[in-house]
Amino acid sequence: MTDSAATDGAAPVTVTDSSQADRYEARIGDDLAGTAAYMRTPEVIAFIHTEVGDAYEGRGVGSALARTAMDGARAQGLRVLAICPFIAGWLDRHPEYDDLRYVPESSVSD
C-alpha cells in the first residue's frame, strides 16, 4: 500500500509497507524520512516504534505513516495494537479508525 501527502510545496511523502523489514517506510524523493515498525500476526498488527528523521519533522511524515498503516490494516482485516505512543496518539485524534483498535477479550487480572 502506498500513500502520498503534500509537504508544503516540496516533494510528496510516499509510504510503502516494507514487509520484509516489518515496517512502513516514508520517503521524500529517494530519502528515507521515517519508519513505523510493527509485529504482525494473522489477526493483529502491533505498532512498536515510529521514527521521523530530524530533517523531516513537521512535514507530515508521521501522519502519512500512520494513515497508510491504518488503511493497510483495514484493507487486510487486521486489528491494531498501538504500543508506540505516536501511533496511539494519532489514533486518539482520528476516531474514524476506532474500529481497528485491538481490545483483548480476556478479563483476567491479578
Short mmCIF file of all heavy atoms in Angstrom, two decimals, residues 13 26 50 52 56 59-67 86-87 90:
data_model
loop_
_atom_site.label_atom_id
_atom_site.label_comp_id
_atom_site.label_asym_id
_atom_site.label_seq_id
_atom_site.Cartn_x
_atom_site.Cartn_y
_atom_site.Cartn_z
N VAL A 13 5.33 12.96 0.32
CA VAL A 13 5.72 11.83 1.16
C VAL A 13 5.10 10.58 0.53
O VAL A 13 3.90 10.54 0.28
CB VAL A 13 5.19 11.98 2.60
CG1 VAL A 13 5.56 10.76 3.44
CG2 VAL A 13 5.71 13.25 3.24
N ALA A 26 8.54 5.75 4.98
CA ALA A 26 8.14 7.00 4.34
C ALA A 26 9.37 7.58 3.65
O ALA A 26 10.43 7.69 4.26
CB ALA A 26 7.60 7.99 5.38
N THR A 50 7.73 4.37 16.03
CA THR A 50 7.68 5.25 14.87
C THR A 50 8.78 6.28 15.02
O THR A 50 8.99 6.82 16.11
CB THR A 50 6.31 5.95 14.76
OG1 THR A 50 5.29 4.95 14.68
CG2 THR A 50 6.24 6.84 13.54
N VAL A 52 10.76 9.60 12.84
CA VAL A 52 10.88 10.52 11.72
C VAL A 52 12.22 11.24 11.86
O VAL A 52 12.55 11.73 12.95
CB VAL A 52 9.71 11.53 11.70
CG1 VAL A 52 9.93 12.58 10.62
CG2 VAL A 52 8.39 10.81 11.47
N TYR A 56 13.01 15.99 8.67
CA TYR A 56 11.67 15.84 8.08
C TYR A 56 10.55 16.12 9.06
O TYR A 56 9.37 15.97 8.74
CB TYR A 56 11.52 14.44 7.49
CG TYR A 56 12.59 14.18 6.45
CD1 TYR A 56 13.70 13.41 6.77
CD2 TYR A 56 12.50 14.75 5.19
CE1 TYR A 56 14.69 13.20 5.83
CE2 TYR A 56 13.49 14.55 4.25
CZ TYR A 56 14.59 13.77 4.58
OH TYR A 56 15.57 13.58 3.64
N ARG A 59 6.64 17.90 8.52
CA ARG A 59 6.32 17.82 7.10
C ARG A 59 5.25 16.77 6.80
O ARG A 59 5.04 16.40 5.65
CB ARG A 59 7.58 17.55 6.28
CG ARG A 59 8.56 18.72 6.40
CD ARG A 59 9.85 18.49 5.68
NE ARG A 59 9.68 18.38 4.24
CZ ARG A 59 10.69 18.13 3.41
NH1 ARG A 59 11.92 17.99 3.89
NH2 ARG A 59 10.46 18.02 2.12
N GLY A 60 4.58 16.27 7.84
CA GLY A 60 3.50 15.31 7.64
C GLY A 60 3.94 13.88 7.47
O GLY A 60 3.13 13.01 7.12
N VAL A 61 5.20 13.60 7.74
CA VAL A 61 5.73 12.25 7.55
C VAL A 61 5.08 11.26 8.52
O VAL A 61 4.62 10.19 8.11
CB VAL A 61 7.27 12.24 7.69
CG1 VAL A 61 7.82 10.81 7.66
CG2 VAL A 61 7.91 13.08 6.60
N GLY A 62 5.03 11.62 9.80
CA GLY A 62 4.43 10.72 10.79
C GLY A 62 2.97 10.45 10.50
O GLY A 62 2.51 9.30 10.58
N SER A 63 2.23 11.49 10.15
CA SER A 63 0.81 11.31 9.82
C SER A 63 0.62 10.45 8.58
O SER A 63 -0.29 9.62 8.54
CB SER A 63 0.14 12.67 9.61
OG SER A 63 0.07 13.36 10.84
N ALA A 64 1.48 10.63 7.58
CA ALA A 64 1.39 9.81 6.37
C ALA A 64 1.67 8.34 6.71
O ALA A 64 0.99 7.44 6.21
CB ALA A 64 2.35 10.31 5.30
N LEU A 65 2.66 8.11 7.57
CA LEU A 65 2.95 6.73 8.01
C LEU A 65 1.74 6.13 8.71
O LEU A 65 1.32 5.01 8.40
CB LEU A 65 4.15 6.71 8.96
CG LEU A 65 5.53 6.80 8.35
CD1 LEU A 65 6.56 7.15 9.40
CD2 LEU A 65 5.88 5.48 7.67
N ALA A 66 1.18 6.87 9.67
CA ALA A 66 0.06 6.35 10.46
C ALA A 66 -1.16 6.08 9.59
O ALA A 66 -1.77 5.01 9.66
CB ALA A 66 -0.29 7.32 11.58
N ARG A 67 -1.53 7.04 8.74
CA ARG A 67 -2.72 6.87 7.91
C ARG A 67 -2.57 5.69 6.94
O ARG A 67 -3.47 4.88 6.79
CB ARG A 67 -3.02 8.16 7.13
CG ARG A 67 -4.33 8.07 6.36
CD ARG A 67 -4.73 9.40 5.75
NE ARG A 67 -4.76 10.50 6.70
CZ ARG A 67 -5.75 10.75 7.54
NH1 ARG A 67 -6.80 9.96 7.58
NH2 ARG A 67 -5.69 11.79 8.36
N PHE A 86 3.35 7.43 19.54
CA PHE A 86 2.94 8.28 18.42
C PHE A 86 1.70 7.72 17.74
O PHE A 86 0.73 8.45 17.49
CB PHE A 86 4.06 8.45 17.38
CG PHE A 86 3.60 9.24 16.19
CD1 PHE A 86 3.57 10.62 16.24
CD2 PHE A 86 3.15 8.60 15.05
CE1 PHE A 86 3.09 11.36 15.16
CE2 PHE A 86 2.67 9.33 13.97
CZ PHE A 86 2.64 10.71 14.03
N ILE A 87 1.71 6.42 17.44
CA ILE A 87 0.55 5.79 16.77
C ILE A 87 -0.67 5.86 17.69
O ILE A 87 -1.77 6.16 17.25
CB ILE A 87 0.86 4.35 16.35
CG1 ILE A 87 1.99 4.31 15.29
CG2 ILE A 87 -0.39 3.64 15.84
CD1 ILE A 87 1.63 4.89 13.94
N TRP A 90 -1.99 9.35 17.56
CA TRP A 90 -2.60 9.63 16.27
C TRP A 90 -3.99 9.00 16.20
O TRP A 90 -4.94 9.63 15.74
CB TRP A 90 -1.70 9.10 15.14
CG TRP A 90 -2.12 9.54 13.79
CD1 TRP A 90 -1.70 10.66 13.13
CD2 TRP A 90 -3.06 8.88 12.93
NE1 TRP A 90 -2.32 10.73 11.90
CE2 TRP A 90 -3.15 9.66 11.75
CE3 TRP A 90 -3.80 7.72 13.03
CZ2 TRP A 90 -3.97 9.30 10.69
CZ3 TRP A 90 -4.63 7.36 11.96
CH2 TRP A 90 -4.71 8.15 10.83
#
